Amino acid sequence: MIDLRSDTVTKPTPEMREVMANAVVGDDVYADDPTVNELEAVVADMLGKEAAVFVPTGSMSNQIAIRTHTEPGDLVVIERRAHIVRSEGGGGAALSGVTMRPLDGVHGVFTSEQITDTLGRRHRFNPMTLPSPPTLLCLENTHNGAGGTVWPLDALRDVCETGRDHGLTLHLDGARLWHASAASGVPERDFAEPFDTVNVCFSKGLGAPIGSALVGERPFIDRARRFKQQFGGGMRQAGVVAAAALHALEHHRSDLRVDVERATRLAEGLASAPGLYVNLASVQSNIVRFQVDMDSGAFADRCYERGVYMLPNGDHGMRAVLHRDLDEGDVDAAIHVLREVAVNHPSPEPAGAHGGD
Ligand SMILES: *Cc1c(COP(=O)(O)O)cnc(C)c1O
């Protein structure tokens, strides 16, 4: 099976399992797990921030950030297809009582003007008690829903500056920030620099089984630890999984370039096929989103029968994600299967949809 559902399907390598087995551990709720503490220091340093907190998932990391940055009733400005909007179970409303103000981006990238327009102008005749106070601006890089697209550094700095001018705090969902750097050559810390907080995931593409980190200045991270506990994220001998994350950062991060190249090859192999539609401009990292003529659920079923596993997304959308557990020949084999299914198996049946993490 060529599994293209996500870059989360990777399995720990024998070397990774060995460092996990030999990890020095403590009790992370008591802050004395040396391997967790080391990982937090390494990640904070890598992103140019003072501190980091290790958490089980990227969703928890984002939700802790929202909870720490906002009050109930606040407004979060964010792109429409963001993971925080679409794939975190309504966490913003349920856990922090915030409302989302979604902006439409081009390939996930929105502009300063859109922020200014949505926040409107203030005038002394309009009571400031009426609107939901906008307090947080969230960006996603790479942007999964838009096809793994990378924010150009200038555009990112520009919207962050505008957000600051409006008094917003800034959070970056960098679940795949590693991929943004691999694809663009811009170091992670440069992308992270304008933000108060950054979420990064070790389970996306890097090959670690579990784990994310929320990174920021120390007082913020100290407060975030309270919500980590409140949300049930306190872990004990978590050094076992932190060791895998450290190993992944050290040994797997530089391989991400290969996944980016393979995604381009896959996209180009599909672009010329009848019944398949790829916007090559949206293929910027390790994700390939494309459209099919037939029903997406039926397309996914038929590819699966032929050994290619993918997630359908909406009526005609599909997503394929490249990752380190694929072999060199898998891309060409997948291209062959997808083209064959698109040409030979049109189908009118509808099916359900899920966007995929
Ligand atoms: C996967 C993902 C997350 C959340 O990660 P989990 O560990 O699955 O909760 C957050 N943001 C983006 C953009 C993602 O792709």
Side-chain angles (χ1 to χ4, degrees):
M1 186 59 70
I2 301 174
D3 194 343
L4 302 175
R5 284 173 300 164
S6 182
D7 47 10
T8 56
V9 301
T10 56
K11 309 252 167 60
T13 61
E15 295 77 23
M16 183 179 277
R17 287 174 190 268
E18 198 171 318
V19 299
M20 293 172 77
N22 295 322
V24 182
V25 295
D27 188 325
D28 182 44
V29 171
Y30 303 132
D32 71 0
D33 186 305
T35 310
V36 171
N37 294 344
E38 184 189 344
L39 174 66
E40 290 177 348
V42 164
V43 175
D45 183 60
M46 190 176 275
L47 296 181
K49 306 290 186 200
E50 277 175 7
V53 55
F54 184 52
V55 293
T57 68
S59 298
M60 187 184 283
S61 186
N62 284 330
Q63 293 304 323
I64 290 170
I66 293 171
R67 182 65 188 84
T68 314
H69 284 298
T70 63
E71 292 293 324
D74 283 0
L75 188 72
V76 177
V77 180
I78 189 163
E79 212 273 337
R80 186 176 303 282
R81 289 166 293 181
H83 194 276
I84 287 173
V85 174
R86 296 205 310 192
S87 304
E88 298 188 8
L95 303 171
S96 300
V98 295
T99 341
M100 301 282 162
R101 174 67 55 83
L103 305 178
D104 274 318
V106 176
H107 299 312
V109 173
F110 51 85
T111 64
S112 286
E113 289 70 36
Q114 284 174 282
I115 298 175
T116 312
D117 288 350
T118 196
L119 297 182
R121 281 164 53 89
R122 291 182 181 201
H123 188 276
R124 62 198 171 96
F125 297 169
N126 300 323
M128 284 314 294
T129 46
L130 290 180
S132 178
T135 47
L136 178 61
L137 174 66
C138 293
L139 269 63
E140 187 174 308
N141 194 21
T142 64
H143 194 304
N144 174 0
T149 51
V150 182
W151 271 82
L153 191 55
D154 287 347
L156 177 141
R157 284 182 174 148
D158 189 51
V159 298
C160 286
E161 197 180 312
T162 303
R164 286 267 181 243
D165 290 346
H166 286 278
L168 306 177
T169 53
L170 308 175
H171 173 68
L172 175 63
D173 180 1
R176 295 188 183 82
L177 191 61
W178 330 111
H179 297 84
S181 291
S184 65
V186 175
E188 287 90 347
R189 65 162 59 218
D190 290 1
F191 281 130
E193 193 272 329
F195 294 92
D196 297 296
T197 50
V198 182
N199 161 50
V200 287
C201 295
F202 310 112
S203 51
K204 297 271 172 81
L206 285 181
I210 295 168
S212 294
L214 181 64
V215 190
E217 296 311 300
R218 192 167 305 280
F220 183 93
I221 296 301
D222 286 346
R223 187 168 140 76
R225 289 184 192 279
R226 174 189 162 200
F227 297 115
K228 172 185 172 181
Q229 187 64 23
Q230 193 177 82
F231 292 177
M235 298 181 286
R236 303 298 182 171
Q237 282 72 53
V240 172
V241 277
L246 279 166
H247 180 84
L249 285 175
E250 192 179 338
H251 299 284
H252 295 175
R253 194 155 61 111
S254 57
D255 296 341
L256 293 176
R257 192 66 231 168
V258 174
D259 298 339
V260 174
E261 282 159 14
R262 286 180 180 172
T264 308
R265 202 163 92 234
L266 176 64
E268 286 170 352
L270 303 182
S272 58
L276 295 174
Y277 307 94
V278 195
N279 181 352
L280 290 176
S282 75
V283 182
Q284 300 178 8
S285 61
N286 68 324
I287 298 176
V288 181
R289 287 192 185 269
F290 59 98
Q291 306 282 314
V292 293
D293 269 337
M294 61 195 285
D295 173 77
S296 59
F299 186 84
D301 286 338
R302 284 169 187 175
C303 290
Y304 183 75
E305 285 157 17
R306 287 162 181 76
V308 181
Y309 205 174
M310 280 175 306
L311 297 177
N313 182 10
D315 291 345
H316 297 285
M318 297 295 306
R319 187 183 79 161
V321 185
L322 284 295
H323 56 77
R324 58 182 299 105
D325 282 9
L326 297 167
D327 293 332
E328 192 49 45
D330 286 346
V331 173
D332 292 328
I335 292 171
H336 180 78
V337 167
L338 270 55
R339 291 177 71 114
E340 192 185 72
V341 170
V343 172
N344 294 329
H345 302 278
S347 156
E349 316 143 28
H354 179 260
D357 302 322

